[in-house]
Coordinates of all heavy atoms in Angstrom, one line a residue:
T879 N 9.1 -0.6 -54.0 CA 8.0 -1.3 -53.3 C 7.1 -0.2 -52.7 O 7.5 1.0 -52.6 CB 8.5 -2.2 -52.2 OG1 9.1 -1.4 -51.2 CG2 9.4 -3.3 -52.8
R880 N 5.9 -0.6 -52.3 CA 5.0 0.4 -51.7 C 5.2 0.3 -50.2 O 5.3 1.3 -49.5 CB 3.6 0.1 -52.1 CG 2.7 1.2 -51.7 CD 1.4 1.2 -52.5 NE 0.6 2.4 -52.1 CZ -0.6 2.6 -52.5 NH1 -1.2 1.8 -53.3 NH2 -1.2 3.6 -52.1
Y881 N 5.1 -0.9 -49.6 CA 5.2 -1.2 -48.2 C 6.0 -2.5 -48.0 O 5.9 -3.4 -48.8 CB 3.9 -1.3 -47.5 CG 3.1 0.0 -47.6 CD1 2.1 0.2 -48.5 CD2 3.4 1.1 -46.8 CE1 1.4 1.3 -48.6 CE2 2.7 2.3 -46.9 CZ 1.7 2.4 -47.8 OH 1.0 3.6 -48.0
D898 N 4.4 -5.2 -50.5 CA 3.4 -4.6 -51.4 C 4.1 -4.0 -52.5 O 4.8 -3.0 -52.4 CB 2.5 -3.6 -50.6 CG 1.4 -3.1 -51.4 OD1 1.4 -3.2 -52.6 OD2 0.4 -2.7 -50.8
F899 N 4.0 -4.6 -53.7 CA 4.7 -4.1 -54.9 C 3.9 -3.0 -55.7 O 4.2 -2.6 -56.7 CB 5.0 -5.2 -55.9 CG 6.2 -6.1 -55.4 CD1 5.9 -7.4 -55.0 CD2 7.4 -5.6 -55.3 CE1 7.0 -8.2 -54.6 CE2 8.5 -6.4 -54.9 CZ 8.3 -7.7 -54.5
G900 N 2.7 -2.6 -55.1 CA 1.9 -1.6 -55.7 C 0.8 -2.2 -56.6 O 0.6 -3.4 -56.7
S901 N 0.0 -1.4 -57.2 CA -1.2 -1.8 -57.9 C -0.9 -2.7 -59.1 O -1.8 -3.5 -59.5 CB -2.0 -0.6 -58.3 OG -1.3 0.2 -59.2
A902 N 0.2 -2.7 -59.7 CA 0.5 -3.5 -60.8 C 0.7 -5.0 -60.4 O 0.4 -5.9 -61.2 CB 1.8 -3.0 -61.6
W903 N 1.2 -5.2 -59.2 CA 1.5 -6.6 -58.8 C 0.8 -7.1 -57.6 O 0.5 -8.2 -57.5 CB 3.0 -6.7 -58.5 CG 3.8 -6.5 -59.8 CD1 4.5 -5.3 -60.1 CD2 4.1 -7.4 -60.8 NE1 5.1 -5.5 -61.3 CE2 4.9 -6.8 -61.8 CE3 3.7 -8.8 -61.0 CZ2 5.3 -7.4 -62.9 CZ3 4.2 -9.4 -62.1 CH2 4.9 -8.8 -63.1
G904 N 0.5 -6.2 -56.6 CA -0.1 -6.6 -55.4 C 0.8 -7.0 -54.3 O 2.0 -6.5 -54.2
I905 N 0.4 -7.8 -53.3 CA 1.1 -8.2 -52.1 C 1.7 -9.6 -52.2 O 1.0 -10.5 -52.6 CB 0.2 -8.0 -50.9 CG1 -0.3 -6.6 -50.8 CG2 1.0 -8.4 -49.6 CD1 -1.4 -6.4 -49.8
N918 N -2.1 -11.4 -52.3 CA -3.3 -10.6 -52.8 C -2.9 -9.9 -54.0 O -1.9 -9.3 -54.1 CB -3.8 -9.7 -51.7 CG -5.2 -9.3 -51.9 OD1 -5.6 -8.7 -52.9 ND2 -6.1 -9.6 -50.9
R919 N -3.9 -9.8 -55.0 CA -3.6 -9.0 -56.2 C -3.8 -7.5 -56.0 O -3.2 -6.8 -56.8 CB -4.6 -9.5 -57.3 CG -4.3 -10.9 -57.8 CD -5.1 -11.3 -59.0 NE -4.8 -12.6 -59.4 CZ -3.8 -13.0 -60.1 NH1 -2.9 -12.1 -60.4 NH2 -3.6 -14.3 -60.4
A920 N -4.4 -7.1 -55.0 CA -4.6 -5.7 -54.7 C -3.4 -5.1 -53.9 O -2.6 -5.9 -53.3 CB -5.9 -5.5 -53.9
S921 N -3.3 -3.8 -53.9 CA -2.3 -3.1 -53.2 C -2.9 -2.3 -52.1 O -4.1 -1.9 -52.2 CB -1.6 -2.1 -54.1 OG -0.6 -1.4 -53.5
G922 N -2.2 -2.2 -50.9 CA -2.8 -1.5 -49.8 C -2.3 -0.1 -49.6 O -1.5 0.4 -50.3
V923 N -2.9 0.5 -48.5 CA -2.5 1.8 -48.1 C -1.4 1.7 -47.0 O -0.5 2.5 -46.9 CB -3.7 2.6 -47.6 CG1 -3.3 4.0 -47.1 CG2 -4.7 2.7 -48.7
Q924 N -1.5 0.7 -46.2 CA -0.5 0.4 -45.1 C -0.7 -1.1 -44.7 O -1.8 -1.7 -45.0 CB -0.6 1.3 -44.0 CG -2.0 1.4 -43.3 CD -2.1 2.4 -42.2 OE1 -1.1 2.7 -41.5 NE2 -3.2 3.1 -42.1
V940 N -3.9 -5.7 -43.8 CA -3.7 -4.7 -44.8 C -4.9 -3.7 -44.8 O -6.1 -4.1 -44.7 CB -3.6 -5.3 -46.2 CG1 -3.4 -4.3 -47.3 CG2 -2.5 -6.3 -46.2
D941 N -4.5 -2.4 -44.8 CA -5.5 -1.4 -45.0 C -5.6 -1.1 -46.5 O -4.7 -0.7 -47.1 CB -5.0 -0.1 -44.3 CG -5.8 1.1 -44.6 OD1 -6.9 1.0 -45.2 OD2 -5.4 2.2 -44.1
F942 N -6.7 -1.5 -47.1 CA -7.0 -1.4 -48.5 C -7.7 -0.1 -48.8 O -8.3 0.1 -49.9 CB -7.8 -2.6 -49.1 CG -7.0 -3.8 -49.2 CD1 -7.2 -4.9 -48.4 CD2 -6.0 -3.9 -50.1 CE1 -6.5 -6.1 -48.5 CE2 -5.2 -5.1 -50.3 CZ -5.5 -6.2 -49.4
G943 N -7.6 0.9 -47.9 CA -8.2 2.2 -48.2 C -9.7 2.2 -48.2 O -10.4 1.8 -47.2
I945 N -11.9 0.2 -49.3 CA -12.7 -1.1 -48.9 C -12.4 -1.6 -47.5 O -12.8 -2.6 -47.1 CB -12.4 -2.2 -50.0 CG1 -11.0 -2.6 -50.0 CG2 -12.9 -1.8 -51.4 CD1 -10.7 -3.9 -50.8

Side-chain angles (χ1 to χ4, degrees):
T879 65
R880 190 158 186 190
Y881 297 102
D898 185 335
F899 287 113
S901 59
W903 294 99
I905 300 169
N918 199 300
R919 292 189 180 281
S921 177
V923 176
Q924 56 185 325
V940 179
D941 170 8
F942 285 111
I945 64 168

